[in-house]
Amino acid sequence: MKLNFNQEVRSQKSAASRSGLQPATCNLQPATCNLQPSRQGMALVITLIMLSVTLVMAVAFLAVARRERGAVTTSTDTGTARLAASTALAGAQAQIVANILTTNAAAYNFGLLVSTNFINPNGFVAGNTNLENVSYQYPNGNFVVGDDLIQNVANLWFLPRAPVMLNSSNAMSGRFYLDLNRNGTNEPNGWVTNVDASSKVLLDANGNPVVTFQVGDPEWIGILERPDQPHGPNNHFTARYAFFAQPIGNSLDLNAIHNQAHRGLPTLPANSTVNPPAGVGGSHSDSFIRNESVGSWEINFAA
């Protein structure tokens, strides 16, 4: 049977060669013969669609990731600000209690209170690593530079004055206070030598400078990541705060407002035109003044 089959195949090939026809071979490679050009185009379109969907999903993922990162940053900053405000309140309360515990008289003598940071009034001493050696100026008034500035920043720990510098002609012009009155200058706290409007030192009757205890602008206090350690490359400032505390007894008092604060003033002459009461003529015995914010009794509309 096998011999007859081979002979039949050879006879068919010889007959086909005599007739000039080629034997059919499509059945040997069905995939190649049956694949049409139209189906090749459809496969390309489907591939492009899949790539487009993948690209859109990647862009959407990046947008969502960026939005989530921004939300996390906003939440972190909000939490930091809230904790800084709580720290400022605790600092004000601690300073009030400390003043009360100082003397018996201080327990009944409340006054305006602002935040103050620690600085060495004598200036920075070069080469001194003591944590109390903190100042951005040398004793001669020049600004601390070089390795001394690095050491000064490393000493920041006790109520630290965080180095926040202004973009000005003076590279070391640090804004360490809250300028409440917007006058562009710092009103210092503590024992201050009084000066006039032209910065001239005021002298008493004996020719000595007049030094009084003053409450000036609130000063910024830095908050470290780890408050139990000094400032350093691994312990950055996360925030800073300043507070302004005023006892309610020194604030606006309805029992003392709108009064005639003219006691001790000489009676104005009848022909005087200084602060004449509206609609009143003749002798101007009434007068209203406003002193330099000594008490709430000075607050009146007439002044």
Side-chain angles (χ1 to χ4, degrees):
M1 293 299 293
K2 182 177 180 181
L3 180 61
N4 294 335
F5 176 76
N6 292 334
Q7 290 177 351
E8 184 177 358
V9 172
R10 282 196 299 271
S11 63
Q12 290 178 357
K13 289 183 177 181
S14 61
S17 60
R18 287 195 301 271
S19 62
L21 299 176
Q22 298 294 332
T25 60
C26 288
N27 291 333
L28 300 178
Q29 299 177 349
T32 304
C33 295
N34 295 331
L35 188 61
Q36 302 298 326
S38 60
R39 295 188 178 182
Q40 291 180 353
M42 183 62 68
L44 178 60
V45 171
I46 294 174
T47 303
L48 293 176
I49 292 175
M50 294 299 295
L51 291 176
S52 301
V53 172
T54 304
L55 178 60
V56 171
M57 292 180 63
V59 173
F61 174 78
L62 294 176
V64 171
R66 182 178 180 181
R67 181 177 180 181
E68 292 296 329
R69 186 167 58 251
V72 171
T73 301
T74 302
S75 178
T76 302
D77 294 341
T78 302
T80 301
R82 183 173 59 253
L83 294 176
S86 299
T87 304
L89 177 59
Q93 293 172 343
Q95 191 164 340
I96 292 172
V97 173
N99 292 342
I100 293 176
L101 296 178
T102 302
T103 59
N104 293 332
Y108 304 96
N109 185 18
F110 299 145
L112 181 62
L113 191 66
V114 297
S115 57
T116 56
N117 48 44
F118 179 78
I119 205 75
N120 186 358
N122 298 323
F124 182 83
V125 180
N128 191 342
T129 60
N130 192 300
L131 294 177
E132 296 182 358
N133 184 30
V134 178
S135 179
Y136 291 92
Q137 292 179 320
Y138 292 109
N140 59 4
N142 295 332
F143 288 105
V144 178
V145 295
D147 294 339
D148 291 338
L149 178 60
I150 297 176
Q151 183 62 53
N152 176 69
V153 173
N155 292 343
L156 296 174
W157 192 7
F158 307 119
L159 299 176
R161 179 178 290 186
V164 178
M165 302 304 172
L166 297 178
N167 186 13
S168 62
S169 57
N170 189 349
M172 291 301 297
S173 180
R175 180 57 61 88
F176 61 90
Y177 59 93
L178 178 60
D179 192 10
L180 287 179
N181 54 4
R182 303 291 183 180
N183 64 349
T185 185
N186 172 44
E187 277 79 24
N189 294 280
W191 294 100
V192 179
T193 301
N194 295 340
V195 297
D196 57 14
S198 60
S199 299
K200 183 180 179 180
V201 177
L202 299 179
L203 303 178
D204 58 13
N206 298 324
N208 299 320
V210 178
V211 180
T212 57
F213 189 86
Q214 301 290 340
V215 178
D217 287 328
E219 299 177 0
W220 293 105
I221 299 176
I223 302 177
L224 294 167
E225 291 179 341
R226 290 180 292 277
D228 58 334
Q229 299 179 12
H231 174 56
N234 298 323
N235 190 20
H236 298 166
F237 287 105
T238 59
R240 62 177 187 166
Y241 68 88
F243 62 80
F244 180 97
Q246 180 182 6
I248 191 171
N250 297 143
S251 61
L252 183 62
D253 188 357
L254 294 179
N255 295 322
I257 192 173
H258 308 316
N259 64 331
Q260 298 181 359
H262 67 277
R263 289 178 298 178
L265 293 179
T267 302
L268 297 178
N271 60 353
S272 173
T273 58
V274 179
N275 296 332
V280 178
S283 177
H284 300 156
S285 60
D286 286 341
S287 60
F288 297 88
I289 64 171
R290 180 175 62 85
N291 203 349
E292 295 300 323
S293 303
V294 175
S296 58
W297 56 86
E298 297 172 347
I299 304 177
N300 52 74
F301 285 137

